[in-house]
Amino acid sequence: MKISLIQPPVRDFYQTPHRHSALGCFSVQKILETAGHEVKFYNFPVWQKQVSTPPLPTELYYLKPFLIPGENGPVSWFHQRKHFGPSFEDCARVALKNNPDMIMISCFAWSYAEEAASMARAIRRQAPGIPIEVGGAGPSVNPGWFKGSGLFDRVRTGQAEINLKDFPGVREDSQPVTPIVSPVEESFHGKPQFTTMLTRGCTARCSFCANYLTLGREFRKTAADTIIKMLSDYGVEEFHLDMEDDNLLVDPDYFTDFLERFHRRFPAATLSAENGLDYQKLSLSLAGKLIDWGFVKFNLSMASADSEILAKQKRSSRLDHLSQLLIFFNDRKIPVITYFICGLQGDTVDSVCRNMGFLAGQHTEIGISPFYAVPGLPGFEHPGTGNQPESPVLYCGSSVYPWNGNLTTAQLITAFRLCRLINLLKSPATEQWKELTDRIITEDKLYTTTGKGQKKTLLEVPHMDNEMTRKVLQYFK
Ligand code: SF4
C-alpha cells in the first residue's frame, strides 16, 4: 500500500527543533515499511521553514491584554501566535502528489487536534474518497473528539507497535519498541544533531503526567547496539545526540550500559536529554560519569520545591541533593536548566514564589512549565462537560489557561517573566540590561522593551501581579 504519513503544521506561540523531531512518525514509518508498505513522510511544521501569522483564535482572546506587539527584551513573554509550516491546502497538495492509497495524520498532542482536523479537511476537499486515519498522543487521550468530527475513517490510539498490528504484513510479534534515530534540522554548536528515544513508558505515577495514557506504564527498552548501528549508518563521528526519553533513569544500569558503548564507539560525540532527568535518581558519581561519556548540559525536573504539593502529586523531593548536584555541575562548568511546574493543584502565589526563590539561589537557570490539563488526567477526564472546556487550543502550555483555578492567567505570565528576569540577573548579559533591571528592582514592577537600537522603548508590563513581583524581588535585595 502507498501511504502518505503527515505531521500537520502546528499553531503555537513558539516551537523548538526537538518538538518536531517526529519520533512517533518515524516509528510508524519503520513499522509499515518493514511490513512492505511504501510510506512517504511529510514533516510539515519544519517544511522549508515556512512560518505565517494566522489571527488569534477567539478562544484565546483572553490573552489579548497580555500580548505586547513588538516586544523583544530578555523578560518578554510571547506576542505573536504563528503557523509553523505551509498552508493546509498546500500540505494536502504535496501529500497527495504521489497518488497515495491512504493518508495517515499524526497528532502528537491533544492541544494540536484542530491542526489534525484542518489537515484532514484540506485532504477531503482535494481527494474526497481517500481513506484518512489519525493516530498519536492526541487521539489516544481523547479519541471521541476525533471520531465525532466525522473526518477520519479510523482513529488509532496508543503505541504504534500495538495499534498497527491489523495492517497487512505487520507481524504479531513485532518489536515492543521500534528503534528510531531522527536527524534534527538545526545543528548543535555547528555539529550535526540527532534525536532518539531509547525507552518508552515510565513506572512512576506522577499525577500531573499524561504519558502513560499513550505509552503505558511498562518500561520498555531498545537494544543499545541497534541505536549505535543506526547512528553509525549516518557516517558522521562528531555529532550531538539528544535523548527524548520521558524517564531515562528508571533503569540506570541499562542507561549506563548504553552510554558506555556509545562513548566507546563515538568518543567525539556529545549528549543531552532535553526532556529532563529525574535529579533524585542522579547520584553525584553517576552525574560525573555522564559528563565523562559526553553530556554537555543537563535539564533537571524539580516539579516543585514544596514537598506537600509534590506528595499530593505522588512525587517526592530531595532539595538538599538537588543543591549538591547543582554545585557539582557548576564546579565542572556544565550548564543546567532546572524546571518547575507552575500552577499545580495546591500551588499558591507563595509556593510559586518559593520555587523561584529556591532556584534563584542555586547554580542553575530556571525553566518554568505552566501546568496544562490533558484529557484523562484526574479531574480532566471529560473535556466539554462541567467547567472543563473542550477547545484543544486551550490545552497548550503557552495558552496559560488557569486549569486548577488557583493561579490566574496574569499570575502564570507574571511567574514566566520573573523566571526570565532571574535568569537575566544571574547571567553575564545582565550588565547590558542595567536600565531595565534597575527600573524593575526599584519599582517592584515588571518592565519590558520593544523596538531596537534608537527606537528601543522601556514600558511597564500591563496586568501583572505586582505583589508576586515584589515577593520574588526580595530575594535580590
Ligand atoms: S517520572 Fe516523568 S515520565 Fe514518569 S510519571 Fe513522572 S513525570 Fe511522567
Side-chain angles (χ1 to χ4, degrees):
M1 198 185 294
K2 241 163 98 175
I3 299 162
S4 282
L5 174 61
I6 298 175
Q7 186 76 71
V10 154
R11 290 183 170 184
D12 204 332
F13 285 98
Y14 75 106
Q15 75 164 344
T16 62
H18 297 114
R19 245 174 147 196
H20 300 303
S21 50
L23 293 170
C25 287
F26 281 107
S27 294
V28 170
Q29 183 175 28
K30 190 159 189 183
I31 292 167
L32 294 179
E33 283 180 347
T34 306
H37 301 285
E38 187 184 326
V39 183
K40 186 108 180 66
F41 172 48
Y42 302 93
N43 196 6
F44 285 126
V46 291
W47 192 265
Q48 296 166 353
K49 294 199 163 57
Q50 290 188 44
V51 180
S52 53
T53 52
L56 195 69
T58 50
E59 299 96 310
L60 294 185
Y61 275 11
Y62 66 93
L63 292 178
K64 275 190 172 180
F66 303 103
L67 304 175
I68 302 175
E71 188 184 14
N72 57 15
V75 296
S76 58
W77 189 62
F78 309 112
H79 62 91
Q80 177 69 64
R81 201 158 172 275
K82 295 177 181 155
H83 173 108
F84 296 98
S87 70
F88 291 109
E89 290 299 331
D90 284 349
C91 293
R93 249 186 299 283
V94 171
L96 290 167
K97 206 169 175 184
N98 68 338
N99 294 318
D101 303 309
M102 176 192 279
I103 298 286
M104 296 184 88
I105 296 177
S106 157
C107 176
F108 67 89
W110 159 246
S111 51
Y112 302 126
E114 288 290 3
E115 286 87 326
S118 298
M119 191 67 250
R121 277 187 214 102
I123 299 276
R124 285 260 176 261
R125 278 191 289 274
Q126 294 183 33
I130 196 164
I132 305 178
E133 299 198 348
V134 66
S140 298
V141 299
N142 196 6
W145 186 89
F146 291 86
K147 287 177 186 159
S149 72
L151 290 163
F152 303 100
D153 297 286
R154 178 147 188 177
V155 177
R156 293 187 182 265
T157 59
Q159 307 152 41
E161 286 82 2
I162 293 174
N163 73 25
L164 293 172
K165 284 193 173 169
D166 62 300
F167 253 88
V170 176
R171 289 168 49 147
E172 259 303 307
D173 60 346
S174 57
Q175 303 183 66
V177 188
T178 311
I180 28 170
V181 170
S182 152
V184 179
E185 288 272 315
E186 285 175 29
S187 63
F188 182 86
H189 298 296
K191 292 190 290 189
Q193 187 176 185
F194 299 95
T195 185
T196 188
M197 228 174 144
L198 302 174
T199 64
R200 309 283 194 284
C202 175
T203 50
R205 293 282 190 277
C206 310
S207 306
F208 54 79
C209 177
N211 289 348
Y212 77 96
L213 295 169
T214 306
L215 296 173
R217 301 273 196 209
E218 194 197 340
F219 188 65
R220 306 178 311 285
K221 307 168 256 193
T222 38
D225 287 341
T226 311
I227 297 288
I228 290 169
K229 163 86 175 56
M230 290 169 85
L231 285 163
S232 299
D233 289 345
Y234 281 98
V236 282
E237 296 298 315
E238 213 174 316
F239 61 87
H240 183 80
L241 179 67
D242 160 46
M243 289 161 282
E244 284 284 307
D245 298 61
D246 292 317
N247 193 351
L248 275 164
L249 291 169
V250 171
D251 183 345
D253 291 343
Y254 162 79
F255 186 37
T256 52
D257 176 63
F258 168 77
L259 292 176
E260 259 181 327
R261 289 164 191 245
F262 174 84
H263 185 62
R264 213 178 302 132
R265 172 61 189 83
F266 301 109
T270 54
L271 292 160
S272 64
E274 298 291 330
N275 246 349
L277 294 174
D278 180 353
Y279 75 87
Q280 295 186 73
K281 294 215 166 73
L282 191 57
S283 64
L284 293 184
S285 67
L286 179 55
K289 283 183 189 164
L290 298 192
I291 296 169
D292 292 343
W293 287 325
F295 263 76
V296 286
K297 59 176 185 164
F298 285 86
N299 289 357
L300 302 179
S301 41
M302 177 180 83
S304 173
D306 188 309
S307 55
E308 279 182 31
I309 290 174
L310 282 183
K312 287 192 186 121
Q313 299 290 328
K314 302 199 184 114
R315 192 158 160 137
S316 55
S317 71
R318 286 168 60 208
L319 294 186
D320 50 340
H321 177 62
L322 177 57
S323 296
Q324 281 180 5
L325 265 176
L326 293 172
I327 292 168
F328 178 85
F329 288 132
N330 185 57
D331 288 347
R332 281 154 187 77
K333 302 200 173 359
I334 300 284
V336 182
I337 305 176
T338 307
Y339 286 85
F340 76 94
I341 303 173
C342 186
L344 281 172
Q345 211 169 35
D347 253 337
T348 60
V349 168
D350 283 343
S351 70
V352 171
C353 290
R354 282 197 298 275
N355 285 337
M356 289 189 267
F358 171 74
L359 291 173
Q362 306 292 321
H363 298 289
T364 182
E365 240 185 80
I366 306 181
I368 176 170
S369 311
F371 173 83
Y372 58 92
V374 177
L377 283 182
F380 304 104
E381 288 91 347
H382 307 292
T385 61
N387 290 333
Q388 208 184 324
E390 185 172 48
S391 173
V393 69
L394 296 174
Y395 292 71
C396 262
S398 59
S399 297
V400 282
Y401 189 81
W403 287 107
N404 283 316
N406 46 358
L407 292 174
T408 62
T409 294
Q411 287 166 332
L412 291 165
I413 297 173
T414 306
F416 183 96
R417 289 178 179 277
L418 284 169
C419 288
R420 296 204 69 189
L421 173 69
I422 294 167
N423 289 339
L424 173 66
L425 289 170
K426 288 164 74 177
S427 85
T430 192
E431 276 307 307
Q432 264 173 268
W433 294 95
K434 204 162 169 1
E435 189 190 350
L436 173 70
T437 53
D438 281 354
R439 188 85 178 259
I440 294 172
I441 291 170
T442 311
E443 295 190 21
D444 278 341
K445 283 181 189 162
L446 277 165
Y447 279 78
T448 190
T449 56
T450 58
K452 285 199 174 110
Q454 298 283 319
K455 294 197 172 146
K456 185 182 281 181
T457 312
L458 214 62
L459 71 158
E460 185 184 338
V461 182
H463 313 297
M464 293 293 91
D465 182 339
N466 291 336
E467 184 57 14
M468 182 189 273
T469 304
R470 190 189 62 73
K471 283 182 177 166
V472 168
L473 287 177
Q474 280 175 356
Y475 292 98
F476 290 90
K477 289 183 178 171

